[in-house]
Amino acid sequence: MTYLTPNSVQARDIASIVHPQTNLATHIEQGPMVIGSGQGCYVTDDNGTRYLDTAAGLWCASLGYASERLAKVAYEQMRKLGYYHLYRGTTHEAGVDLAEKLLSIAPLPMSKVLFQCSGSEANDTALKLVWYYHHAIGKPEKRKIIGRRMAYHGSTSASISASGKPDMHADFGLPFPGFLHTEYPHYYRHHSEAESEEQFATRMADALDALILHEGPETCAAFIAEPVMGAGGGLTPPRSYWEKVQAVVRKHDMLFIADEVICGFGRTGNMWGSQTYDLKPDMISCAKALSAGMQPISALLVNQRVFEAMLDESRKLGNFAHGFTYAGHPVTTAVAMETLRIYEEMDMLGHVRRVGPYMQEKLAALGEHPLVGEVRGVGLLTGIELVADKTTRGLFDPARGVGAIVDRHARKHGLITRFVGDRIAFSPPLIITEPEIDEAVSRTVRALDDTWAEIRS
């Protein structure tokens, strides 16, 4: 057990906080990493060690870790109106400004915006609206939600049910009945010999079609998916995948929810991942980079088709009986609006389009390392697959925790990574520069070399 000074932040943390996505038993023995400050793409711990963060926190610190400008906006809004809600027909200008802006930059025409406090809540709201919609159009039997294996859509009971992460379902009694999961579209890992990406994509679409036909199209309500799978390991889709999968969804008259919580606001080199992959969703959830991670806010954009159904239900039932206390909070909406202004002023999309290819090129060179089977990405998001055998694409025994070993060595070299099993996902702050990319790649090579030496010893 690590010795912790009594009354230290670490000791007080252990005594008082339950940490998400953390081994609680190990945490009690080892204690937390304490982050004391941040600037740009770097954070500094309580020992003064500085880390280059290639995970942008949890995919969200798009502008880095400190912003005087956003702090001032939050301060001024707190002085003017520190809180009010959007319930019962009440509004405020900060919320209206942001809603209008989101609709103006949407990847395809959207009708209205619903605010929440997290990506989980945005996706949870979308799932409720799927059922609301089908009740409105007289098809209440269409209730089944289809997600994808290894996808992640949030931690609420419904959003995690839509997620294809068995480790997040275990012993919670989840997923709920009526949540189904189609294939994980990981071409490198799952393609057969001589199967092209296009053929693999056809197989994935056929599998979705077969699942819907098996369940009964009259019972299948919606398909939810990320343009690029984040917690699935930074996995970009195989060529022609989205064209074929969307055709299946449309054929069976299902709603399509695009989870843009990670991809939205520049991550893929366009404002939306839906633009990068030509998606035509009925609803779009967004969060994270919406406020550069500096305020807890999310939004759900719905098209006119969905909103008309909501109107019909309101005419029948009265109030739209849904909402969150802090949804559309004046401070969070003001900060998010200023974040979008910053993106425009600094030409964030142009920056990502310049440095994204540079990052992809530098990381692609890691494919020569004996531990790396594949490197694949888009914009400023890359997934690196670690393998035991490059020839057969054989995986490591999960019990070895090779991804965690890489992460441990990376931190020794002043680098924070995001590992998902034996995949490393690169998603640095969008402000990252070419010299910082060089430094990140150099530190990653050292971590991989150390891991290779350790697992061979």
Side-chain angles (χ1 to χ4, degrees), residues 2 27 49 151 164 259:
T2 303
H27 185 75
T49 303
D259 179 347

Side-chain angles (χ1 to χ4, degrees), residues 320-391:
F320 173 57
H322 172 84
F324 301 93
T325 300
Y326 303 109
H329 192 289
V331 177
T332 65
T333 51
V335 169
M337 186 67 201
E338 192 69 9
T339 300
L340 298 182
R341 291 191 188 102
I342 292 172
Y343 292 157
E344 290 181 353
E345 290 173 16
M346 67 184 298
D347 187 19
M348 182 63 82
L349 294 181
H351 174 74
V352 174
R353 289 167 183 165
R354 288 189 296 274
V355 302
Y358 184 82
M359 187 180 87
Q360 300 301 337
E361 177 187 355
K362 294 297 181 180
L363 288 175
L366 299 181
E368 299 301 315
H369 195 280
L371 275 175
V372 176
E374 181 195 44
V375 181
R376 181 178 177 129
V378 62
L380 284 174
L381 201 167
T382 306
I384 300 172
E385 183 91 359
L386 306 177
V387 293
D389 188 314
K390 291 167 74 80
T391 302

Side-chain angles (χ1 to χ4, degrees), residues 129 133 255 282-283 302-310:
L129 288 181
Y133 169 84
L255 293 177
D282 298 287
M283 292 185 266
V302 302
N303 65 12
Q304 188 64 23
R305 172 189 183 190
V306 172
F307 183 65
E308 286 293 342
M310 295 168 68

